[in-house]
Amino acid sequence: MITYFSFIILFFIFFLVLKKQEKKNFEETSKILKSFVSKEFLNDISDDLKNDYERATTAITKQDLELDNSIEELREYKKELEVTYESLLTKSKQLEYSNQVLEQRVASLSNINSLSRTVLSIMELDKIISTILDAYFVLTGAKRISLYLWEGNKLINKRIKGEIHFRGELSYPEEVLSQFTKKDYKKVYSEMLKGFSITPDEKIIASPLTVKGKELGVIFIIEDKSKLIKSDEETISALTIQVAIAINNAQIYSDLVIKERMSQELEVASRIQKRIIPKKIKKVLGLDVATFFEPAKEIGGDYYDYSLLDEKTFSITIADVSGKGVPAAFLMALGRSVLKTLELQGEQPRCNVRKLNKLIYPDITEDMFITMMHSKYNYDTKTITYSNAGHNPLVVYNSITKEIETHSVKGVAIGFLDDYNYKQGEIHLNIGDIVIYYTDGISEAENKNKELFGIERLKTVLLENSHLSSREIKQRLLSEINNFQNGCEQNDDITFVIIKREE
């Protein structure tokens, strides 16, 4: 169909033709116009109109071509507009979805932050676990949850939420577990996954609980595959971090509470132990007496005791219980109480030690024992009668020979044998003679080179200071031990009693 613009051109050309060809008949002119409209161009045109007709047909063809090109461009532009519109529509939908996801994440983060503040304010592990598991059900699509924690070398199931029958608790030797890497723990958790029963429509996720490289345990979460979305996975990951931090804090707090309670209990035990150590005396029955007791920890297994049994008998005992801490202190208190009761019967030291061993043997475990030097000094005879149950020998300065002697008799530690006949020895004391009762905290005191103070240094201190009082000898001995250790930690209780006959 001819356009309006083409018709104007035709009309103009026709006007010219009419002007030039006034004498031509109207039929030819009409025929030409019809050919323009139908685009069926004529060949039999009179010569006088032929040039004008060709120019007109060329112009019409050109205009039609340009018009067709314009229409094609408009179609292409329309297509581009449609594509752009579809793209904008898609991006708008994506933006709307992203906005929804962002809102969900913001809400999830807000909930997690709120949860974090809540659980971090709770120090009871059971309450933390209950709160956290409830949060998983609220903030994710979790259907069932099982939480495990490492307790020592065991992986223990602490809580299940939902219907799960599998427990699958594990245990490893400590030497094996100490070598575990992150990869090893992951392998353990992956193997445990096989123990859970899930349907084909479910998926189980293992979330290890780790804080600064410390392996706390793992949470197994079961969800429907159709409901598991990326935001769920992100929430689970974020929750797992909060769980690990909260549990770690609770465990640290629990340890601190236990340590604080133990510290308080040890402090009470220490005060009790120091109270049962006899009050210091300077002189009794012509003897100058000095004592020292310093446990390596809050409480120790060493003890010394003395008492005036009658007007002429002075009892002196020193003992060392194997081990340290509360068990050693308890056994020490038991042995001391039983021995003091036996002393009231007035029997010889060997009889007291034998009865003591027989009475407390049933209450001593295989890994515990007591070494003891138990003695009595008689004022009339100026003689020390003693019995030794596996303890260090007495170190004696003889004022007549000016030499150091050691005195002992054989005897096993208390608690080794059910019934044992202990031996007995005697030492006559001259005026100026000195006797040192001691535990191995002195002889085994170490310096930075792991050298031991030893018995020879003790003898040297006694020999060089034999002219001094018991109290002064005590100070010299402590000074030598401190100089020898040179700041090294005290590894064992140090206990000793020094007696010097003055009359």
Side-chain angles (χ1 to χ4, degrees):
M1 180 179 289
I2 192 164
T3 65
Y4 177 77
F5 181 73
S6 298
F7 183 77
I8 295 299
I9 295 174
L10 290 173
F11 182 79
F12 177 73
I13 295 171
F14 176 68
F15 177 77
L16 293 176
V17 171
L18 287 177
K19 198 171 182 180
K20 291 182 179 181
Q21 302 292 334
E22 291 179 356
K23 295 181 178 181
K24 294 289 183 181
N25 58 39
F26 181 78
E27 289 182 3
E28 187 175 10
T29 301
S30 178
K31 183 179 178 182
I32 291 172
L33 288 174
K34 288 180 179 179
S35 71
F36 286 152
V37 174
S38 63
K39 293 186 179 180
E40 296 178 357
F41 300 110
L42 303 174
N43 292 321
D44 53 339
I45 302 297
S46 59
D47 292 339
D48 55 345
L49 294 176
K50 190 172 185 178
N51 290 335
D52 292 332
Y53 178 74
E54 288 177 354
R55 283 197 302 272
T57 56
T58 300
I60 290 171
T61 303
K62 182 179 179 182
Q63 287 297 323
D64 284 346
L65 182 60
E66 289 177 354
L67 182 59
D68 289 342
N69 289 337
S70 298
I71 292 172
E72 188 63 30
E73 288 178 0
L74 287 173
R75 288 174 180 166
E76 291 295 328
Y77 183 63
K78 181 182 177 183
K79 290 180 180 179
E80 290 177 4
L81 286 176
E82 290 174 349
V83 171
T84 303
Y85 173 76
E86 290 295 330
S87 176
L88 288 173
L89 187 61
T90 301
K91 288 182 178 179
S92 176
K93 291 180 180 179
Q94 291 174 345
L95 185 60
E96 184 179 355
Y97 174 76
S98 298
N99 187 51
Q100 291 176 352
V101 172
L102 183 59
E103 287 178 353
Q104 290 177 354
R105 289 180 177 175
V106 169
S108 179
L109 285 175
S110 178
N111 291 329
I112 291 172
N113 287 335
S114 177
L115 174 68
S116 175
R117 288 192 297 270
T118 300
V119 295
L120 290 178
S121 66
I122 302 173
M123 291 304 167
E124 295 179 32
L125 185 59
D126 287 341
K127 288 185 178 180
I128 289 174
I129 292 174
S130 294
T131 303
I132 289 294
L133 296 192
D134 287 342
Y136 271 99
F137 275 80
V138 173
L139 300 179
T140 71
K143 293 174 62 180
R144 290 170 281 161
I145 300 177
S146 186
L147 185 146
Y148 291 77
L149 292 180
W150 286 102
E151 293 183 356
N153 61 334
K154 296 180 179 179
L155 186 62
I156 307 295
N157 181 262
K158 302 298 290 186
R159 189 70 56 83
I160 285 176
K161 196 170 182 69
E163 190 176 350
I164 296 178
H165 301 290
F166 174 70
R167 289 294 186 275
E169 298 180 343
L170 300 174
S171 178
Y172 294 89
E174 290 184 5
E175 60 272 16
V176 173
L177 193 61
S178 64
Q179 302 297 320
F180 264 32
T181 64
K182 187 176 181 180
K183 185 177 180 181
D184 293 322
Y185 283 109
K186 187 176 181 180
K187 184 178 179 181
V188 169
Y189 303 149
S190 296
E191 286 297 318
M192 287 185 69
L193 285 173
K194 300 175 183 178
F196 290 88
S197 297
I198 60 174
T199 67
D201 296 329
E202 293 177 332
K203 180 178 181 180
I204 183 168
I205 300 171
S207 293
L209 302 172
T210 309
V211 175
K212 296 181 179 178
K214 179 182 177 182
E215 200 71 31
L216 302 177
V218 62
I219 298 179
F220 296 101
I221 303 148
I222 300 174
E223 287 198 27
D224 285 330
K225 288 181 180 179
S226 60
K227 296 180 181 179
L228 182 62
I229 57 176
K230 187 176 182 180
S231 61
D232 259 12
E233 295 177 355
E234 294 172 350
T235 301
I236 288 172
S237 178
L239 278 173
T240 301
I241 294 172
Q242 298 304 319
V243 173
I245 294 173
I247 290 176
N248 186 54
N249 288 348
Q251 290 178 342
I252 292 173
Y253 177 76
S254 178
D255 290 343
L256 288 175
V257 169
I258 293 172
K259 288 179 181 178
E260 179 65 23
R261 185 172 64 249
M262 290 180 62
S263 177
Q264 292 174 354
E265 291 174 353
L266 288 173
E267 186 178 349
V268 172
S270 178
R271 289 201 299 268
I272 294 173
Q273 185 178 48
K274 288 176 181 178
R275 285 179 182 176
I276 65 176
I277 295 295
K279 293 181 179 179
K280 294 180 180 180
I281 57 173
K282 292 185 178 180
K283 299 183 186 298
V284 59
L285 300 182
L287 299 177
D288 175 28
V289 183
T291 61
F292 183 80
F293 170 67
E294 184 65 41
K297 305 298 181 183
E298 290 85 348
I299 55 177
D302 283 8
Y303 93 92
Y304 70 86
D305 194 16
Y306 48 69
S307 58
L308 190 62
L309 300 179
D310 54 47
E311 293 180 354
K312 297 181 180 181
T313 308
F314 183 56
S315 170
I316 309 154
T317 303
I318 193 166
D320 184 358
V321 178
S322 63
K324 300 179 182 66
V326 175
F330 178 79
L331 184 55
M332 178 271 286
L334 174 64
R336 175 186 177 275
S337 299
V338 173
L339 184 60
K340 288 189 80 69
T341 301
L342 293 172
E343 283 184 326
L344 298 176
Q345 298 176 6
E347 296 193 53
Q348 292 296 314
R350 64 177 182 177
C351 295
N352 290 339
V353 175
R354 180 183 180 182
K355 289 180 179 180
L356 172 64
N357 177 64
K358 193 165 186 65
L359 286 170
I360 70 173
Y361 178 84
D363 298 320
I364 297 180
T365 59
E366 293 182 357
D367 60 338
M368 298 191 75
F369 57 88
I370 304 173
T371 67
M372 176 180 291
M373 180 68 76
H374 174 54
S375 67
K376 291 181 180 180
Y377 173 72
N378 184 278
Y379 179 71
D380 287 342
T381 63
K382 306 298 188 288
T383 300
I384 293 177
T385 305
Y386 66 90
S387 184
N388 188 8
H391 200 74
N392 301 312
L394 296 171
V395 176
V396 181
Y397 169 73
N398 189 314
S399 61
I400 295 177
T401 64
K402 309 296 182 183
E403 294 179 349
I404 301 296
E405 305 168 353
T406 57
H407 290 261
S408 185
V409 290
K410 291 183 179 181
V412 300
I414 294 169
F416 273 9
L417 298 174
D418 183 12
D419 191 10
Y420 182 80
N421 288 319
Y422 288 90
K423 295 181 174 59
Q424 192 165 277
E426 290 185 353
I427 306 171
H428 177 76
L429 295 185
N430 306 301
I431 292 177
D433 282 2
I434 304 168
V435 181
I436 298 182
Y437 301 71
Y438 66 97
T439 63
D440 55 15
I442 290 179
S443 57
E444 295 179 5
E446 291 184 353
N447 62 15
K448 63 181 180 181
N449 297 322
K450 299 297 181 180
E451 295 174 331
L452 301 181
F453 187 79
I455 189 68
E456 294 304 319
R457 287 187 174 85
L458 173 59
K459 291 179 179 180
T460 300
V461 172
L462 178 56
L463 184 62
E464 292 178 351
N465 297 280
S466 58
H467 60 287
L468 301 177
S469 67
S470 293
R471 184 176 295 274
E472 289 171 324
I473 295 173
K474 164 189 166 181
Q475 296 302 326
R476 294 292 177 88
L477 178 57
L478 290 175
S479 178
E480 287 297 321
I481 293 172
N482 289 335
N483 290 337
F484 176 79
Q485 288 180 315
N486 193 24
C488 290
E489 183 181 2
Q490 178 183 335
N491 294 321
D492 199 1
D493 306 336
I494 296 179
T495 307
F496 59 86
V497 177
I498 302 174
I499 61 172
K500 182 175 186 178
R501 181 187 167 193
E502 290 186 332
E503 59 179 72

